[in-house]
Amino acid sequence: YINTPDDVRKDRALNKRGDDRSTFMKRDFAERDQFRTMLRNADFDYAVSNIDVAKAYSVLRWIATVESAWKNNLEDTSK
């Protein structure tokens, strides 16, 4: 689950990507509903904050490394 604060998402969509306000509002409504369901069901293994893209990327790389090591460890013990 990658979480971006509302004000950051809005700024990126409207000012940096150039989405129009109507498109942003429709997308935002749909995504909020989807994320509320995910949070309610705890339907994720990790939560990453996406305020700083470089930091989020670093965290995602760490998760990929840990998950790969975990998978390799499981494969080694099943032999």
Coordinates of all heavy atoms in Angstrom, one line a residue:
Y1 N 0.9 -1.2 0.0 CA 0.0 0.0 0.0 C 0.9 1.2 0.0 O 1.8 1.4 0.9 CB -0.9 0.0 1.2 CG -1.7 1.2 1.5 CD1 -2.7 1.6 0.7 CD2 -1.4 2.0 2.6 CE1 -3.4 2.7 0.9 CE2 -2.1 3.1 2.9 CZ -3.1 3.5 2.0 OH -3.9 4.6 2.3
I2 N 0.7 2.1 -1.0 CA 1.5 3.3 -1.1 C 0.6 4.5 -0.8 O -0.4 4.7 -1.5 CB 2.2 3.5 -2.5 CG1 3.2 2.3 -2.7 CG2 2.9 4.8 -2.5 CD1 3.8 2.3 -4.0
N3 N 0.9 5.2 0.3 CA 0.0 6.3 0.7 C 0.7 7.6 0.4 O 1.8 7.8 0.7 CB -0.2 6.2 2.2 CG -1.1 7.3 2.7 OD1 -2.0 7.7 2.0 ND2 -0.9 7.7 3.9
T4 N -0.1 8.5 -0.3 CA 0.4 9.8 -0.5 C -0.7 10.8 0.1 O -1.9 10.6 -0.1 CB 0.4 10.1 -2.0 OG1 1.3 9.1 -2.6 CG2 1.0 11.5 -2.3
P5 N -0.2 11.7 0.9 CA -1.2 12.6 1.6 C -2.0 13.3 0.5 O -1.6 13.6 -0.6 CB -0.2 13.6 2.3 CG 1.0 12.8 2.5 CD 1.2 11.9 1.3
D6 N -3.2 13.7 0.9 CA -4.2 14.3 0.0 C -3.7 15.5 -0.7 O -3.8 15.7 -1.9 CB -5.5 14.6 0.8 CG -6.2 13.4 1.2 OD1 -6.0 12.3 0.7 OD2 -7.1 13.6 2.1
D7 N -3.0 16.4 0.1 CA -2.6 17.7 -0.5 C -1.4 17.4 -1.5 O -1.4 18.1 -2.5 CB -2.1 18.7 0.6 CG -1.1 18.2 1.5 OD1 -1.0 16.9 1.7 OD2 -0.3 19.0 2.1
V8 N -0.6 16.4 -1.3 CA 0.5 16.1 -2.2 C -0.1 15.5 -3.5 O 0.3 15.9 -4.6 CB 1.5 15.2 -1.5 CG1 2.5 14.7 -2.5 CG2 2.2 15.8 -0.3
R9 N -1.1 14.6 -3.3 CA -1.7 14.0 -4.5 C -2.4 15.0 -5.4 O -2.2 15.0 -6.6 CB -2.7 12.9 -4.1 CG -2.1 11.6 -3.6 CD -3.1 10.5 -3.4 NE -4.2 10.9 -2.6 CZ -5.5 11.1 -3.0 NH1 -5.8 10.9 -4.3 NH2 -6.4 11.4 -2.2
K10 N -3.1 15.9 -4.7 CA -3.8 17.0 -5.4 C -2.8 17.9 -6.2 O -3.0 18.2 -7.3 CB -4.7 17.8 -4.5 CG -5.5 18.8 -5.1 CD -6.4 19.5 -4.1 CE -7.4 20.5 -4.8 NZ -8.2 21.2 -3.8
D11 N -1.8 18.3 -5.5 CA -0.8 19.2 -6.1 C -0.1 18.5 -7.3 O 0.0 19.1 -8.4 CB 0.3 19.6 -5.1 CG 1.4 20.4 -5.7 OD1 1.1 21.5 -6.3 OD2 2.5 20.0 -5.7
R12 N 0.2 17.2 -7.2 CA 0.9 16.5 -8.3 C -0.1 16.4 -9.5 O 0.4 16.5 -10.6 CB 1.3 15.1 -7.8 CG 2.5 15.2 -6.9 CD 2.9 13.8 -6.4 NE 4.0 13.8 -5.5 CZ 4.4 12.8 -4.8 NH1 3.8 11.7 -4.8 NH2 5.5 13.0 -3.9
A13 N -1.3 16.0 -9.2 CA -2.3 15.8 -10.3 C -2.6 17.1 -11.0 O -2.6 17.2 -12.2 CB -3.5 15.2 -9.7
L14 N -2.9 18.2 -10.3 CA -3.4 19.4 -10.9 C -2.2 20.3 -11.4 O -2.4 20.9 -12.5 CB -4.2 20.2 -9.9 CG -5.5 19.5 -9.4 CD1 -6.2 20.4 -8.4 CD2 -6.4 19.2 -10.6
N15 N -1.2 20.3 -10.7 CA -0.1 21.3 -11.0 C 1.1 20.6 -11.8 O 1.6 21.3 -12.7 CB 0.4 22.0 -9.8 CG -0.6 22.8 -9.1 OD1 -1.5 23.4 -9.7 ND2 -0.6 22.8 -7.8
K16 N 1.4 19.4 -11.5 CA 2.5 18.8 -12.1 C 2.2 18.0 -13.3 O 2.9 18.0 -14.3 CB 3.4 18.0 -11.1 CG 4.0 18.9 -10.1 CD 4.8 18.2 -9.1 CE 5.4 19.2 -8.1 NZ 6.0 18.6 -6.9
R17 N 1.0 17.2 -13.2 CA 0.6 16.4 -14.4 C -0.3 17.1 -15.3 O -0.5 16.8 -16.4 CB -0.1 15.1 -13.9 CG 0.8 14.0 -13.6 CD 0.1 12.7 -13.5 NE -1.3 12.7 -13.0 CZ -1.6 12.2 -11.8 NH1 -0.7 11.6 -11.0 NH2 -2.8 12.3 -11.3
G18 N -1.0 18.2 -14.7 CA -1.9 19.0 -15.5 C -3.3 18.4 -15.7 O -4.0 18.8 -16.6
D19 N -3.7 17.5 -14.8 CA -5.1 17.0 -14.9 C -6.1 18.1 -14.6 O -5.8 19.1 -13.9 CB -5.3 15.9 -13.8 CG -4.5 14.7 -14.0 OD1 -3.8 14.5 -15.0 OD2 -4.6 13.8 -13.1
D20 N -7.2 18.0 -15.3 CA -8.2 19.0 -15.0 C -8.9 18.7 -13.7 O -8.9 17.5 -13.2 CB -9.2 19.2 -16.1 CG -10.1 18.0 -16.4 OD1 -11.0 17.7 -15.5 OD2 -9.9 17.3 -17.4
R21 N -9.6 19.6 -13.0 CA -10.1 19.5 -11.7 C -11.2 18.4 -11.7 O -11.3 17.5 -10.8 CB -10.7 20.8 -11.2 CG -11.1 20.8 -9.8 CD -11.4 22.3 -9.4 NE -11.1 22.6 -8.0 CZ -10.0 22.5 -7.3 NH1 -8.9 22.1 -7.9 NH2 -9.9 22.9 -6.1
S22 N -12.0 18.3 -12.7 CA -13.1 17.3 -12.8 C -12.5 15.9 -12.8 O -13.0 15.0 -12.1 CB -14.0 17.5 -14.0 OG -14.9 16.5 -14.1
T23 N -11.5 15.7 -13.7 CA -10.9 14.4 -13.8 C -10.2 14.0 -12.5 O -10.4 12.8 -12.0 CB -9.8 14.4 -14.9 OG1 -10.4 14.7 -16.1 CG2 -9.1 13.1 -15.0
F24 N -9.6 14.9 -11.8 CA -8.9 14.6 -10.5 C -10.0 14.2 -9.5 O -9.8 13.3 -8.8 CB -8.1 15.8 -10.0 CG -7.7 15.7 -8.6 CD1 -6.7 14.8 -8.3 CD2 -8.4 16.3 -7.6 CE1 -6.3 14.6 -6.9 CE2 -8.0 16.1 -6.2 CZ -6.9 15.3 -5.9
M25 N -11.1 15.0 -9.4 CA -12.1 14.7 -8.4 C -12.7 13.3 -8.6 O -12.9 12.5 -7.6 CB -13.2 15.7 -8.4 CG -12.7 17.1 -8.1 SD -11.9 17.2 -6.4 CE -13.4 17.1 -5.4
K26 N -13.0 12.9 -9.8 CA -13.5 11.6 -10.1 C -12.6 10.5 -9.7 O -12.9 9.5 -9.1 CB -13.9 11.4 -11.6 CG -15.1 12.2 -12.0 CD -15.3 12.1 -13.5 CE -16.4 13.1 -14.0 NZ -16.5 13.1 -15.5
R27 N -11.3 10.7 -10.1 CA -10.3 9.7 -9.8 C -10.1 9.6 -8.3 O -9.9 8.5 -7.7 CB -9.0 10.1 -10.5 CG -7.9 9.1 -10.3 CD -6.7 9.5 -11.2 NE -5.5 8.8 -10.7 CZ -4.3 9.1 -11.0 NH1 -4.1 10.1 -11.8 NH2 -3.3 8.4 -10.6
D28 N -10.0 10.8 -7.6 CA -9.8 10.8 -6.2 C -10.9 10.1 -5.4 O -10.6 9.3 -4.5 CB -9.7 12.3 -5.8 CG -9.4 12.5 -4.3 OD1 -8.3 11.9 -3.9 OD2 -10.1 13.1 -3.6
F29 N -12.2 10.3 -5.8 CA -13.3 9.7 -5.2 C -13.2 8.1 -5.3 O -13.3 7.4 -4.3 CB -14.6 10.1 -5.8 CG -15.8 9.5 -5.2 CD1 -16.3 10.0 -3.9 CD2 -16.5 8.5 -5.8 CE1 -17.4 9.4 -3.3 CE2 -17.6 7.9 -5.2 CZ -18.0 8.3 -4.0
A30 N -12.9 7.7 -6.5 CA -12.8 6.2 -6.7 C -11.6 5.6 -5.9 O -11.7 4.6 -5.3 CB -12.6 5.9 -8.2
E31 N -10.5 6.3 -5.9 CA -9.3 5.8 -5.2 C -9.5 5.8 -3.7 O -9.1 4.9 -3.0 CB -8.1 6.6 -5.6 CG -7.6 6.4 -7.0 CD -6.4 7.2 -7.3 OE1 -6.0 8.1 -6.6 OE2 -5.8 7.0 -8.4
R32 N -10.2 6.8 -3.2 CA -10.4 6.9 -1.7 C -11.3 5.7 -1.3 O -11.0 5.1 -0.2 CB -11.1 8.2 -1.3 CG -10.3 9.4 -1.3 CD -11.1 10.6 -1.0 NE -10.3 11.8 -1.1 CZ -9.8 12.4 0.0 NH1 -10.1 12.0 1.2 NH2 -9.1 13.5 -0.1
D33 N -12.3 5.4 -2.1 CA -13.1 4.2 -1.8 C -12.3 2.9 -1.8 O -12.4 2.1 -0.9 CB -14.3 4.2 -2.7 CG -15.3 3.1 -2.3 OD1 -15.7 3.1 -1.1 OD2 -15.7 2.3 -3.2
Q34 N -11.5 2.8 -2.8 CA -10.6 1.6 -2.9 C -9.7 1.5 -1.7 O -9.5 0.4 -1.1 CB -9.9 1.6 -4.2 CG -8.9 0.5 -4.4 CD -8.1 0.7 -5.7 OE1 -8.0 1.8 -6.3 NE2 -7.4 -0.4 -6.1
F35 N -9.0 2.6 -1.4 CA -8.1 2.5 -0.3 C -8.7 2.3 1.1 O -8.2 1.7 1.9 CB -7.2 3.8 -0.3 CG -6.3 3.9 -1.4 CD1 -6.1 5.1 -2.1 CD2 -5.6 2.8 -1.9 CE1 -5.2 5.1 -3.2 CE2 -4.7 2.8 -2.9 CZ -4.5 4.0 -3.6
R36 N -9.9 2.9 1.3 CA -10.6 2.7 2.5 C -10.9 1.2 2.7 O -10.8 0.6 3.8 CB -12.0 3.4 2.5 CG -11.9 4.7 3.2 CD -13.3 5.3 3.5 NE -13.3 6.7 3.0 CZ -13.8 7.1 1.8 NH1 -14.4 6.3 1.0 NH2 -13.7 8.3 1.5
T37 N -11.3 0.5 1.6 CA -11.6 -0.9 1.7 C -10.3 -1.7 2.0 O -10.3 -2.6 2.9 CB -12.2 -1.4 0.4 OG1 -13.4 -0.7 0.1 CG2 -12.4 -2.9 0.4
M38 N -9.2 -1.3 1.4 CA -7.9 -1.9 1.7 C -7.5 -1.8 3.1 O -7.1 -2.7 3.8 CB -6.8 -1.4 0.8 CG -6.9 -1.8 -0.7 SD -5.6 -1.0 -1.7 CE -4.1 -1.4 -0.9
L39 N -7.7 -0.6 3.6 CA -7.3 -0.3 5.0 C -8.2 -1.0 6.0 O -7.7 -1.6 7.0 CB -7.3 1.2 5.3 CG -6.2 2.0 4.7 CD1 -6.5 3.5 4.8 CD2 -4.9 1.7 5.2
R40 N -9.4 -1.1 5.7 CA -10.4 -1.7 6.6 C -10.1 -3.2 6.7 O -10.2 -3.9 7.7 CB -11.8 -1.5 6.1 CG -12.9 -2.0 7.0 CD -14.3 -1.6 6.6 NE -14.6 -1.5 5.2 CZ -14.8 -0.4 4.5 NH1 -14.7 0.8 5.1 NH2 -15.0 -0.4 3.2
N41 N -9.7 -3.8 5.5 CA -9.4 -5.3 5.5 C -8.0 -5.6 5.8 O -7.6 -6.8 5.8 CB -9.8 -5.8 4.1 CG -11.3 -5.7 3.8 OD1 -12.1 -5.7 4.7 ND2 -11.6 -5.5 2.5
A42 N -7.1 -4.6 6.0 CA -5.7 -4.8 6.1 C -5.2 -5.7 5.0 O -4.5 -6.6 5.2 CB -5.4 -5.3 7.5
D43 N -5.6 -5.3 3.8 CA -5.3 -6.1 2.6 C -4.0 -5.7 2.0 O -3.9 -5.4 0.8 CB -6.5 -6.0 1.6 CG -6.4 -7.0 0.5 OD1 -5.7 -8.0 0.7 OD2 -7.1 -6.8 -0.5
F44 N -2.9 -5.6 2.8 CA -1.6 -5.3 2.3 C -0.5 -5.8 3.3 O -0.9 -6.0 4.4 CB -1.5 -3.8 2.1 CG -1.9 -3.0 3.3 CD1 -0.9 -2.6 4.2 CD2 -3.2 -2.5 3.4 CE1 -1.3 -1.9 5.3 CE2 -3.6 -1.8 4.5 CZ -2.6 -1.5 5.5
D45 N 0.7 -5.9 2.8 CA 1.7 -6.4 3.7 C 2.6 -5.2 4.2 O 3.2 -5.3 5.2 CB 2.6 -7.4 3.0 CG 1.9 -8.7 2.7 OD1 1.1 -9.1 3.5 OD2 2.1 -9.2 1.6
Y46 N 2.7 -4.2 3.4 CA 3.5 -3.0 3.7 C 2.8 -1.7 3.4 O 1.9 -1.7 2.5 CB 4.8 -3.0 2.9 CG 5.7 -4.2 3.0 CD1 5.6 -5.3 2.2 CD2 6.6 -4.3 4.0 CE1 6.4 -6.4 2.3 CE2 7.4 -5.4 4.2 CZ 7.3 -6.4 3.3 OH 8.1 -7.6 3.5
A47 N 3.1 -0.7 4.2 CA 2.5 0.7 3.9 C 3.7 1.6 3.7 O 4.6 1.7 4.6 CB 1.7 1.1 5.1
V48 N 3.8 2.2 2.6 CA 4.9 3.1 2.2 C 4.3 4.5 2.0 O 3.3 4.7 1.3 CB 5.6 2.6 0.9 CG1 6.7 3.6 0.5 CG2 6.1 1.2 1.1
S49 N 5.0 5.5 2.6 CA 4.6 6.9 2.5 C 5.3 7.4 1.2 O 6.5 7.3 1.1 CB 5.0 7.7 3.7 OG 4.6 9.0 3.5
N50 N 4.5 8.1 0.4 CA 5.0 8.6 -0.9 C 5.0 10.1 -0.9 O 4.6 10.8 -1.8 CB 4.2 8.1 -2.0 CG 4.8 8.4 -3.4 OD1 6.0 8.7 -3.4 ND2 4.0 8.4 -4.4
I51 N 5.6 10.7 0.2 CA 5.8 12.2 0.2 C 7.0 12.5 -0.6 O 7.0 13.4 -1.4 CB 5.9 12.7 1.7 CG1 4.6 12.4 2.4 CG2 6.2 14.2 1.7 CD1 4.6 12.7 3.9
D52 N 8.1 11.8 -0.3 CA 9.4 12.0 -1.0 C 9.6 10.8 -1.9 O 9.8 9.7 -1.4 CB 10.5 12.1 0.0 CG 11.8 12.4 -0.6 OD1 12.2 11.6 -1.5 OD2 12.5 13.3 -0.1
V53 N 9.6 11.0 -3.2 CA 9.7 9.9 -4.2 C 11.0 9.1 -4.0 O 11.0 7.9 -4.0 CB 9.6 10.4 -5.6 CG1 9.8 9.3 -6.6 CG2 8.2 11.1 -5.8
A54 N 12.1 9.8 -3.7 CA 13.4 9.1 -3.6 C 13.4 8.2 -2.3 O 13.8 7.0 -2.4 CB 14.5 10.1 -3.5
K55 N 12.8 8.7 -1.3 CA 12.7 7.8 -0.1 C 11.7 6.6 -0.3 O 12.0 5.5 0.1 CB 12.2 8.7 1.1 CG 13.3 9.6 1.7 CD 12.8 10.4 2.9 CE 13.8 11.3 3.4 NZ 13.3 12.2 4.5
A56 N 10.6 6.9 -0.9 CA 9.7 5.8 -1.2 C 10.3 4.8 -2.1 O 10.2 3.6 -1.9 CB 8.4 6.4 -1.9
Y57 N 11.1 5.2 -3.1 CA 11.8 4.2 -4.0 C 12.8 3.4 -3.2 O 12.9 2.2 -3.3 CB 12.5 5.0 -5.1 CG 13.3 4.1 -6.0 CD1 12.7 3.3 -6.9 CD2 14.7 4.1 -5.9 CE1 13.4 2.5 -7.8 CE2 15.4 3.3 -6.7 CZ 14.8 2.5 -7.7 OH 15.5 1.7 -8.5
S58 N 13.5 4.0 -2.2 CA 14.4 3.4 -1.4 C 13.8 2.3 -0.5 O 14.2 1.2 -0.4 CB 15.2 4.4 -0.5 OG 16.1 3.7 0.4
V59 N 12.6 2.7 0.0 CA 11.9 1.7 0.9 C 11.4 0.5 0.0 O 11.4 -0.6 0.4 CB 10.7 2.4 1.6 CG1 9.7 1.4 2.2 CG2 11.2 3.4 2.6
L60 N 10.9 0.8 -1.2 CA 10.4 -0.2 -2.1 C 11.5 -1.2 -2.5 O 11.3 -2.4 -2.6 CB 9.7 0.4 -3.3 CG 8.4 1.1 -3.0 CD1 7.9 1.8 -4.3 CD2 7.3 0.1 -2.6
R61 N 12.7 -0.6 -2.7 CA 13.8 -1.5 -3.0 C 14.2 -2.4 -1.8 O 14.5 -3.6 -2.0 CB 15.1 -0.7 -3.4 CG 14.9 -0.1 -4.8 CD 16.2 0.7 -5.2 NE 17.4 -0.2 -4.9 CZ 18.2 -0.6 -5.9 NH1 18.0 -0.3 -7.1 NH2 19.2 -1.3 -5.5
W62 N 14.1 -1.8 -0.6 CA 14.4 -2.6 0.6 C 13.3 -3.7 0.7 O 13.7 -4.9 1.0 CB 14.3 -1.7 1.8 CG 14.5 -2.4 3.1 CD1 15.7 -2.8 3.6 CD2 13.5 -2.9 3.9 NE1 15.5 -3.5 4.8 CE2 14.1 -3.6 5.0 CE3 12.1 -2.9 3.9 CZ2 13.4 -4.2 6.0 CZ3 11.4 -3.5 4.9 CH2 12.1 -4.1 6.0
I63 N 12.1 -3.4 0.5 CA 11.0 -4.4 0.6 C 11.3 -5.5 -0.5 O 11.2 -6.7 -0.1 CB 9.6 -3.8 0.3 CG1 9.3 -2.9 1.5 CG2 8.6 -4.9 0.1 CD1 8.0 -2.1 1.3
A64 N 11.7 -5.2 -1.7 CA 11.9 -6.2 -2.7 C 13.1 -7.1 -2.3 O 13.1 -8.3 -2.5 CB 12.2 -5.5 -4.0
T65 N 14.1 -6.5 -1.7 CA 15.3 -7.3 -1.2 C 14.9 -8.2 -0.1 O 15.2 -9.4 -0.1 CB 16.4 -6.3 -0.7 OG1 16.8 -5.5 -1.8 CG2 17.6 -7.1 -0.2
V66 N 14.1 -7.7 0.9 CA 13.7 -8.6 2.0 C 12.8 -9.7 1.5 O 13.0 -10.9 1.9 CB 13.0 -7.7 3.1 CG1 12.3 -8.6 4.1 CG2 14.0 -6.8 3.7
E67 N 11.8 -9.4 0.6 CA 10.9 -10.4 0.1 C 11.7 -11.5 -0.7 O 11.4 -12.6 -0.6 CB 9.8 -9.8 -0.7 CG 8.8 -9.0 0.1 CD 8.0 -9.9 1.0 OE1 7.7 -11.0 0.6 OE2 7.6 -9.4 2.1
S68 N 12.7 -11.0 -1.5 CA 13.4 -12.0 -2.3 C 14.2 -12.9 -1.3 O 14.3 -14.1 -1.6 CB 14.4 -11.2 -3.2 OG 15.2 -12.1 -3.9
A69 N 14.9 -12.3 -0.3 CA 15.6 -13.1 0.6 C 14.7 -14.1 1.4 O 15.1 -15.3 1.6 CB 16.3 -12.2 1.6
W70 N 13.5 -13.7 1.7 CA 12.6 -14.5 2.4 C 12.2 -15.7 1.5 O 12.1 -16.8 1.9 CB 11.4 -13.7 2.8 CG 10.2 -14.5 3.5 CD1 9.1 -14.8 2.9 CD2 10.2 -15.1 4.8 NE1 8.3 -15.5 3.8 CE2 9.0 -15.7 4.9 CE3 11.1 -15.1 5.8 CZ2 8.6 -16.4 6.1 CZ3 10.8 -15.8 7.0 CH2 9.6 -16.4 7.1
K71 N 11.9 -15.4 0.3 CA 11.5 -16.4 -0.7 C 12.6 -17.4 -0.9 O 12.4 -18.6 -0.9 CB 11.1 -15.8 -2.0 CG 10.7 -16.8 -3.1 CD 10.3 -16.1 -4.4 CE 10.0 -17.1 -5.4 NZ 10.0 -16.6 -6.8
N72 N 13.8 -16.9 -1.1 CA 15.0 -17.8 -1.2 C 15.2 -18.7 0.0 O 15.5 -19.9 -0.1 CB 16.2 -17.0 -1.6 CG 16.2 -16.4 -2.9 OD1 15.5 -16.8 -3.8 ND2 16.9 -15.3 -3.1
N73 N 15.0 -18.1 1.2 CA 15.2 -18.9 2.4 C 14.1 -20.0 2.5 O 14.4 -21.2 2.9 CB 15.1 -18.0 3.6 CG 15.4 -18.7 4.9 OD1 16.3 -19.5 5.0 ND2 14.6 -18.4 5.9
L74 N 12.9 -19.7 2.1 CA 11.9 -20.7 2.1 C 12.1 -21.8 1.1 O 11.9 -23.0 1.4 CB 10.5 -20.1 1.8 CG 9.9 -19.3 2.9 CD1 8.6 -18.7 2.4 CD2 9.6 -20.1 4.1
E75 N 12.7 -21.5 0.0 CA 13.0 -22.5 -1.1 C 14.1 -23.4 -0.6 O 14.1 -24.6 -0.8 CB 13.3 -21.8 -2.4 CG 12.1 -21.2 -3.1 CD 12.5 -20.4 -4.3 OE1 13.7 -20.2 -4.6 OE2 11.6 -19.9 -5.0
D76 N 15.1 -22.8 0.1 CA 16.3 -23.6 0.6 C 15.9 -24.6 1.7 O 16.4 -25.7 1.7 CB 17.4 -22.6 1.1 CG 18.1 -21.9 0.0 OD1 17.9 -22.3 -1.1 OD2 18.8 -20.9 0.4
T77 N 14.9 -24.2 2.5 CA 14.5 -25.1 3.6 C 13.6 -26.2 3.2 O 13.4 -27.2 3.9 CB 13.9 -24.3 4.8 OG1 12.7 -23.6 4.3 CG2 14.9 -23.3 5.4
S78 N 13.0 -26.0 2.0 CA 12.0 -27.0 1.5 C 12.7 -28.1 0.8 O 12.1 -29.1 0.4 CB 10.9 -26.4 0.7 OG 11.5 -25.9 -0.5
K79 N 14.0 -28.0 0.6 CA 14.8 -29.0 -0.2 C 15.2 -30.2 0.7 O 15.4 -30.1 1.8 CB 16.0 -28.4 -0.9 CG 15.6 -27.5 -2.0 CD 16.8 -26.9 -2.6 CE 16.3 -25.9 -3.7 NZ 17.4 -25.2 -4.3

